[in-house]
Amino acid sequence: MKNAAAIKKDGKIGLIDENGNEIIPCEYDGVIRCGYGMTTVMKDFMYGVCDENANLIIPCIYDEIHLYKNFIVAIKLGRKCGLFDKKGNLIADFIYDYIYTHDEILFIVNKSGKRGVIDNFGKEILPCVFDGIFFCKDNFFGANKDGKWGFIDKFGKVIIPFEYDSVGNYTYLHQELFIRYNHELKSNFIKSEKNNKFGYIDMKGNEIIPCIYDDINQLCLSQPQRALFMIEYGGRYGLIDDKGKILIPCIYSYIDIIYEDLIVAHDNNNLMGIINHNGRVITPFIYDVIEPFHDDMSLVSKDGKYGYIDRSGREVIPCIYDFADYFRDELACVGLNGKFGSIDKKGIFVIALKFDKPFIFNHGVAVVSQETKIKNDIYSHLYKGLINKKGEFLAPCIYNTLKHFRDFTWDSACITICDEKENFVTEQWGMIDNEGNVLVDFIYDEAKPLENDFAILCKNEKYGVINRKGEFILPLRYDEIFWYKYQSVVQLKKNDKWGLCDKNGKEITPCIYDKIDFFKNIDEKTEYFGLRFFS
């Protein structure tokens, strides 16, 4: 049921496909489109499931439904959970308070306040005797028993003894269930806690870093040759490796990775500098701000002025600007004394300081603003135009509003119409291309470009669609039009009813529905998507 749309008719909800065929009749109170060809439906405030052929495989008798790729968790009155397969067969009976999985092979369950694990056949492989449990790598589980944490395998064998106050970093998926999602799941090391002090252990239970620090966290490196950990002791920060060797003593007020072997550190005066993994100072501690690298350059601030350093830590563009942005495609926007331009990585101006607002290039084009007088203006106003990366005008600064849409080959622009006495009359919209050529005349109340070289126009509260040639494929006679990039069809509203047409303007479904809402395309890696609910 790809590109299915929820429809509402006479107060009831169903589904249609992109050809307008009703695949689920309008007989439900609500529809929640979920992944993998299944749809949750609601009737009388109870939930069930339809399969990809719109067959009701689970009746609407449950309080909640949670769908996975091949399994369905249902919750019935009394808050007990059961597990079904994709065909609607009951796998695990309604004896659990909670069921959760991350791989659809093993499921964490909660029964009478204790946690255990069942497999995808409903067989209990770890009894519900643990106070807490979470998935780890290689079929290991972190488990809590009598207030202490350790690790067990899927057969219940203790791998790491239950002697830690906490292990890993947790997020709460449910008020009584611990789930872990972080880079440690892909790591061979687990954060551990004893007596309010932290360290790290490996998956064999070896204590690689003793629990003596106020806090410790593994750093994420793009190409790690070894594991590195930021340590905190007495309010100061340092660095240690996976052999327990202290690389940087705890002397800084804070440290953080900025790029590969470069670390931003804060000194006692809260000034920032850059050091390497061995503690050698690369960039002196003279900056108020050091930003992450963009396009091999880092934006820095000193005494309220902005400049840039390169990856060697050298200040290559001095801190002289009132405003500065990240480098993108070899250029950065900078500002001085209220004017803005662009510089290259040598600090040479490519675009002079002549614009009145900061600007960003998208696909080689930027919207710029200038105080300008046009036509019969008595006073200057801030108008917008388009420039290329050489600073050449593609469209002069004559537009009140100019919306540059990334990945589109045309832009939406607005001109204010005034009478001879400079009194505001109206705003009129049109469209220009990236070279400033007018593609759609400025006679509309609204103009919005779409993908595939189409655009929605509005005039006198009526909407239509044109192609790149300016030809109307849908005339200006609709109350609303929606056409999202994941849809191959267009949603139309007329006389307070909704219908569908194709991209050539041919009617698929007449405007007979109270509401139509499409769900995004599904892919095999998506568990939930495009969630919609009607009632």
Side-chain angles (χ1 to χ4, degrees):
M1 291 187 286
K2 289 187 176 183
N3 280 331
I7 52 174
K8 185 176 183 180
K9 189 176 182 181
D10 299 327
K12 293 295 182 180
I13 311 302
L15 280 185
I16 59 173
D17 62 22
E18 59 186 3
N19 297 316
N21 303 310
E22 287 195 5
I23 50 181
I24 293 181
C26 292
E27 60 184 41
Y28 296 99
D29 301 321
V31 171
I32 302 175
R33 179 83 165 102
C34 297
Y36 312 114
M38 294 182 286
T39 302
T40 301
V41 292
M42 183 186 79
K43 185 178 284 188
D44 298 326
F45 298 101
M46 304 300 283
Y47 296 91
V49 177
C50 290
D51 65 14
E52 58 186 357
N53 296 315
N55 299 312
L56 190 67
I57 58 173
I58 296 179
C60 294
I61 59 175
Y62 298 102
D63 293 332
E64 291 182 36
I65 295 286
H66 301 282
L67 281 87
Y68 296 94
K69 183 177 180 179
N70 296 302
F71 296 92
I72 303 162
V73 174
I75 303 174
K76 65 195 292 189
L77 192 65
R79 308 305 299 171
K80 293 297 181 182
C81 299
L83 185 66
F84 294 86
D85 66 17
K86 202 171 182 178
K87 295 181 180 179
N89 300 312
L90 185 65
I91 295 172
D93 206 354
F94 288 82
I95 61 174
Y96 299 108
D97 302 315
Y98 201 85
I99 300 176
Y100 169 80
T101 184
H102 78 114
D103 61 4
E104 302 198 38
I105 298 174
L106 299 175
F107 296 78
I108 291 177
V109 292
N110 184 337
K111 183 166 63 175
S112 302
K114 296 293 184 179
R115 285 78 170 175
V117 177
I118 62 173
D119 64 16
N120 52 10
F121 297 101
K123 180 182 177 182
E124 193 173 85
I125 63 171
L126 289 177
C128 292
V129 297
F130 300 101
D131 300 315
I133 198 166
F134 62 81
F135 292 110
C136 199
K137 61 183 297 185
D138 301 328
N139 287 328
F140 286 96
F141 297 88
N144 184 294
K145 201 170 187 180
D146 300 325
K148 294 295 182 180
W149 287 88
F151 284 84
I152 57 176
D153 65 16
K154 65 179 181 179
F155 303 108
K157 180 182 177 182
V158 176
I159 305 300
I160 297 175
F162 292 88
E163 59 185 41
Y164 295 97
D165 299 326
S166 71
V167 287
N169 294 316
Y170 307 99
T171 41
Y172 285 96
L173 183 71
H174 184 267
Q175 61 180 356
E176 294 181 347
L177 187 67
F178 288 112
I179 305 297
R180 287 182 60 248
Y181 288 112
N182 58 27
H183 68 278
E184 287 181 358
L185 283 177
K186 300 178 181 180
S187 170
N188 293 317
F189 308 108
I190 299 292
K191 186 176 180 178
S192 55
E193 178 188 4
K194 281 184 181 179
N195 301 321
N196 295 319
K197 296 294 182 180
F198 296 89
Y200 265 80
I201 55 177
D202 64 20
M203 288 307 299
K204 295 180 180 179
N206 300 313
E207 195 169 65
I208 63 166
I209 301 174
C211 294
I212 60 174
Y213 297 102
D214 298 332
D215 199 8
I216 184 170
N217 288 289
Q218 186 173 353
L219 296 176
C220 293
L221 304 176
S222 59
Q223 296 178 337
Q225 303 300 318
R226 55 181 172 173
L228 298 177
F229 305 85
M230 181 175 68
I231 51 177
E232 179 188 358
Y233 190 80
R236 298 292 173 179
Y237 293 83
L239 193 69
I240 193 170
D241 68 11
D242 53 10
K243 307 298 182 184
K245 179 182 178 181
I246 294 178
L247 305 176
I248 301 173
C250 294
I251 59 174
Y252 295 105
S253 58
Y254 192 71
I255 63 171
D256 195 11
I257 198 81
I258 186 172
Y259 176 76
E260 297 299 342
D261 63 340
L262 299 180
I263 294 172
V264 172
H266 301 235
D267 68 8
N268 293 333
N269 298 316
N270 208 29
L271 292 175
M272 301 172 69
I274 296 178
I275 57 178
N276 66 12
H277 290 173
N278 296 317
R280 184 170 69 87
V281 175
I282 306 297
T283 301
F285 288 81
I286 58 175
Y287 297 104
D288 302 312
V289 174
I290 298 178
E291 295 284 356
F293 282 97
H294 288 262
D295 210 4
D296 293 329
M297 301 286 277
S298 172
L299 175 64
V300 294
S301 171
K302 181 170 57 177
D303 300 325
K305 297 290 186 177
Y306 294 91
Y308 298 88
I309 60 175
D310 63 16
R311 282 189 173 166
S312 71
R314 183 171 59 93
E315 187 178 289
V316 291
I317 298 174
C319 293
I320 58 174
Y321 297 106
D322 302 327
F323 169 89
D325 200 359
Y326 299 128
F327 267 88
R328 298 177 178 90
D329 297 327
E330 304 295 319
L331 294 180
C333 179
V334 295
L336 190 62
N337 299 324
K339 295 294 183 180
F340 299 87
S342 283
I343 57 174
D344 63 18
K345 291 183 178 179
K346 295 180 181 179
I348 298 172
F349 275 97
V350 177
I351 299 171
L353 292 163
K354 60 182 180 180
F355 297 107
D356 297 301
K357 292 283 186 179
F359 52 89
I360 297 175
F361 282 97
N362 282 328
H363 288 218
V365 178
V367 176
V368 293
S369 304
Q370 275 187 323
E371 290 279 349
T372 311
K373 284 186 178 182
I374 62 173
K375 295 184 179 180
N376 298 321
D377 282 358
I378 298 175
Y379 305 104
S380 62
H381 299 280
L382 196 65
Y383 292 103
K384 294 179 171 59
L386 291 179
I387 62 170
N388 61 21
K389 291 178 73 173
K390 295 180 181 179
E392 300 167 339
F393 276 103
L394 303 174
C397 288
I398 59 174
Y399 302 106
N400 296 84
T401 304
L402 205 162
K403 298 180 180 179
H404 179 58
F405 294 85
R406 185 172 181 176
D407 299 331
F408 295 120
T409 55
W410 49 2
D411 296 290
S412 181
C414 167
I415 292 179
T416 298
I417 306 300
C418 298
D419 61 20
E420 294 180 356
K421 296 182 180 180
E422 296 295 315
N423 295 315
F424 172 80
V425 176
T426 187
E427 287 185 343
Q428 294 190 333
W429 288 81
M431 306 194 77
I432 61 175
D433 64 16
N434 283 348
E435 296 178 355
N437 302 309
V438 175
L439 301 178
V440 177
D441 290 333
F442 288 82
I443 59 174
Y444 297 98
D445 303 323
E446 186 179 343
K448 179 184 178 182
L450 300 170
E451 290 191 350
N452 302 323
D453 283 341
F454 293 96
I456 295 176
L457 301 178
C458 176
K459 190 173 184 179
N460 299 324
E461 298 183 350
K462 294 296 180 182
Y463 291 84
V465 175
I466 62 169
N467 60 23
R468 183 59 182 264
K469 297 178 181 179
E471 302 167 338
F472 275 94
I473 65 166
L474 289 173
L476 291 163
R477 66 185 184 192
Y478 297 97
D479 302 324
E480 288 184 63
I481 293 177
F482 291 124
W483 193 357
Y484 300 110
K485 65 180 181 180
Y486 54 82
Q487 293 176 205
S488 59
V489 294
V490 187
Q491 295 170 234
L492 309 168
K493 185 179 183 182
K494 189 177 181 182
N495 299 326
D496 210 32
K497 297 290 183 180
W498 288 89
L500 299 175
C501 74
D502 64 20
K503 65 180 182 180
N504 297 314
K506 182 181 178 181
E507 182 182 274
I508 296 174
T509 300
C511 295
I512 59 174
Y513 295 106
D514 301 324
K515 194 170 184 179
I516 296 178
D517 203 354
F518 269 86
F519 300 104
K520 293 182 181 180
N521 277 329
I522 182 174
D523 61 59
E524 288 302 309
K525 295 180 180 179
T526 304
E527 187 171 313
Y528 297 103
F529 71 99
L531 199 63
R532 296 288 190 275
F533 177 75
F534 294 79
S535 59

